[in-house]
Amino acid sequence: MKSVLPLFIFVDACGWEIVKNDPFARSFAPNRKRLESVFGYSSACVPSILSGAWPVEHRNWSYFVYDPVNSPFKSLRCLRWLPAAVTSRRIFRRWLSKFVKAQLSFRGYFDLYNVPFKHISLYDFTEKKSPLQPHGMNEGTNVFDYLEQRRIPYHVSDPGLTEEANLASLIHAIDHEEPNFAFLYWPALDGLLHSVGNQSPEIPAKLRSYERWIEKLLHTARGHYQEIKLYVFSDHGMANCDEVLDLKAQIETLPLRMPEDYVVVYDSTMARFWIFNDRARWLLTECLGKVPQGRIVPDAELGRLGALFPDRYFGELVFLVKEGVLIVPSHMGERPIRGMHGYHPEEKQSYALLCTNQEQIPEQVTAIPHVYNLMVKEAENAQSCNEKPQAPSTTARAVQVPSAVQS
Ligand SMILES: [Zn+2]
């Protein structure tokens, strides 16, 4: 029997608004807090949680960037001759993405999405490593580097496995009292919300199944650890998309050429531009200024959001739509989907959730990167309690003292 297990369960897209009026996790993690998210998609939020840093610091932000010199996709240009009926099919794109990922030895999540083959050699993909592994950040370190450095035994989910398989794998590790820190990652709610939206009865049904899984996990853990410090949290929420915006059609009416005058990446909720002359800058700024569904995010605001990159690596002009608007077609998808995230962090559905069985959530924990501080503090504490055998009563008291967390 060990003393303490810090158990961090990451439920992707389980936003504050989604559980605000739902009893989710209340029976075993009654202390809840709304957290600010990070501007960007999961490609920005997950690395921020795992590193405690903001995008400008860890440089994991949006997936595709303009970088023709370093583009690993040059060989795919020949596919531009294939008919769109084939190349825009999801099934073809998924198959090709798997093949390209293996060829290029990418270790993180990879998808070619809907990037046109005509222009694919202009772009590089920024998540070549997995943020869920040590050495997984583009800059700096993450919690797994920290755990390895301090030789703290840990368990982390493998994103290549199903949610059930990752649960079974963690239960097995707990049965053997291996970890002094556990990180479980469940991404399926995100996928479900994207396809059915945040009002579907399928959402509470999925939350109930997560609760059953967590109960099962806790039941096993109680047989092997005197105390389980449980934290269930998310990275962002999900907004329903009620309006589509064909931004590409509007930009392509301008007397500009790509890639001579500008290059753009159309994400689902933002368009990021690299601009090569003053005339293009003027025409693009004027055109975007007249699109009522969104706005150009000023540099000062990007700076406050931790997403202003001095080298403009992710684009020099960022146009962001309002919550509920979806850019279609985009480089992320050809067709509309029901739900999306990646809006401004102050939009209603952007806020994330943290809930715990601990009495206090430190005041300084207000945004998702701060979950990192909790993880590090709890891992450190569990390591010292579990490796130093103590009288059970002393241990129990010692681990319940809440201590300050850096913000
Ligand atoms: Zn998502």
Side-chain angles (χ1 to χ4, degrees):
M1 189 98 173
K2 278 187 167 181
S3 293
V4 192
L5 176 68
L7 179 53
F8 283 78
I9 302 179
F10 180 178
V11 182
D12 202 313
C14 190
W16 178 256
E17 288 296 320
I18 285 155
V19 298
K20 196 175 71 177
N21 299 315
D22 184 284
F24 179 62
R26 279 210 190 274
S27 60
F28 45 76
N31 191 5
R32 283 177 166 201
K33 190 167 182 175
R34 186 182 84 151
L35 296 185
E36 270 168 49
S37 187
V38 162
F39 182 39
Y41 303 94
S42 294
S43 56
C45 295
V46 177
S48 299
I49 290 169
L50 295 173
S51 68
W54 295 80
V56 67
E57 298 163 305
H58 56 60
R59 291 180 71 84
N60 288 67
W61 196 44
S62 293
Y63 281 146
F64 289 93
V65 292
Y66 170 65
D67 192 351
V69 175
N70 294 307
S71 177
F73 305 122
K74 293 180 182 89
S75 61
L76 295 180
R77 264 202 92 214
C78 59
L79 297 173
R80 70 190 183 280
W81 304 114
L82 285 175
V86 174
T87 59
S88 67
R89 294 277 296 271
R90 270 310 287 159
I91 193 162
F92 173 78
R93 291 261 169 179
R94 271 204 201 109
W95 170 82
L96 189 66
S97 298
K98 262 192 191 165
F99 178 76
V100 171
K101 181 178 175 179
Q103 290 292 306
L104 298 174
S105 310
F106 289 173
R107 295 173 73 199
Y109 177 80
F110 176 70
D111 195 320
L112 283 165
Y113 291 101
N114 196 37
V115 180
F117 293 118
K118 185 181 168 197
H119 294 307
I120 199 152
S121 60
L122 296 172
Y123 302 111
D124 193 7
F125 187 76
T126 63
E127 195 184 284
K128 298 188 176 85
K129 300 178 279 184
S130 171
L132 280 166
Q133 289 172 1
H135 311 293
M137 307 302 299
N138 285 345
E139 289 279 336
T141 56
N142 65 20
V143 65
F144 306 110
D145 292 305
Y146 179 92
L147 294 165
E148 299 244 330
Q149 206 181 43
R150 285 174 170 66
R151 300 207 165 91
I152 298 176
Y154 66 93
H155 184 91
V156 60
S157 293
D158 173 355
L161 300 178
T162 63
E163 292 192 325
E164 289 93 334
N166 274 315
L167 174 67
S169 165
L170 177 54
I171 287 177
H172 182 267
I174 287 173
D175 253 332
H176 291 77
E177 297 178 12
E178 287 162 3
N180 285 348
F181 175 87
F183 188 98
L184 188 58
Y185 176 47
W186 280 335
L189 180 69
D190 178 74
L192 182 63
L193 282 159
H194 278 301
S195 62
V196 302
N198 61 29
Q199 293 304 309
S200 164
E202 288 184 58
I203 303 309
K206 181 67 181 166
L207 295 176
R208 300 293 82 79
S209 83
Y210 281 142
E211 285 171 334
R212 286 192 294 275
W213 290 353
I214 297 171
E215 295 277 14
K216 190 173 160 189
L217 195 54
L218 290 173
H219 179 77
T220 305
R222 282 184 198 117
H224 297 280
Y225 294 80
Q226 286 168 351
E227 189 189 4
I228 297 115
K229 295 192 166 200
L230 175 67
Y231 294 87
V232 182
F233 61 98
S234 62
D235 47 352
H236 51 70
M238 186 75 67
N240 288 340
C241 299
D242 297 319
E243 185 179 355
V244 295
L245 168 67
D246 189 351
L247 190 66
K248 185 166 168 276
Q250 298 189 37
I251 295 298
E252 288 181 358
T253 58
L254 297 173
L256 295 173
R257 290 163 311 159
M258 178 164 151
E260 290 81 358
D261 297 314
Y262 76 99
V263 166
V264 60
V265 174
Y266 294 106
D267 295 319
S268 306
T269 62
M270 56 177 128
R272 295 173 287 117
F273 294 86
W274 291 258
I275 305 169
F276 309 128
N277 58 62
D278 288 342
R279 182 173 152 271
R281 184 166 292 107
W282 190 84
L283 285 169
L284 286 166
T285 307
E286 201 207 16
C287 172
L288 292 168
K290 288 181 188 155
V291 180
Q293 291 94 337
R295 65 189 175 96
I296 294 168
V297 186
D299 280 0
E301 193 172 345
L302 287 172
R304 284 197 298 278
L305 296 169
L308 180 66
F309 299 86
D311 60 357
R312 306 289 164 157
Y313 183 62
F314 292 90
E316 55 179 284
L317 188 155
V318 177
F319 178 82
L320 172 68
V321 296
K322 294 176 189 166
E323 185 172 276
V325 177
L326 187 71
I327 299 175
V328 179
S330 73
H331 289 154
M332 297 291 113
E334 190 71 16
R335 283 168 278 275
I337 49 172
R338 187 70 194 100
M340 196 58 219
H341 51 90
Y343 298 101
H344 196 286
E346 285 171 10
E347 297 271 20
K348 192 175 163 195
Q349 298 287 346
S350 293
Y351 289 91
L353 162 78
L354 172 66
C355 53
T356 177
N357 63 354
Q358 300 301 289
E359 273 179 28
Q360 286 191 2
I361 297 172
E363 245 176 67
Q364 304 94 311
V365 176
T366 58
I368 60 170
H370 304 154
V371 173
Y372 172 84
N373 303 85
L374 287 173
M375 292 196 286
V376 163
K377 184 194 75 152
E378 297 294 12
E380 200 71 66
N381 175 59
Q383 178 75 355
S384 65
C385 292
N386 293 346
E387 302 308 312
K388 257 189 267 152
Q390 294 171 3
S393 57
T394 319
T395 307
R397 266 204 310 278
V399 296
Q400 279 164 10
V401 176
S403 57
V405 169
Q406 287 181 319
S407 61

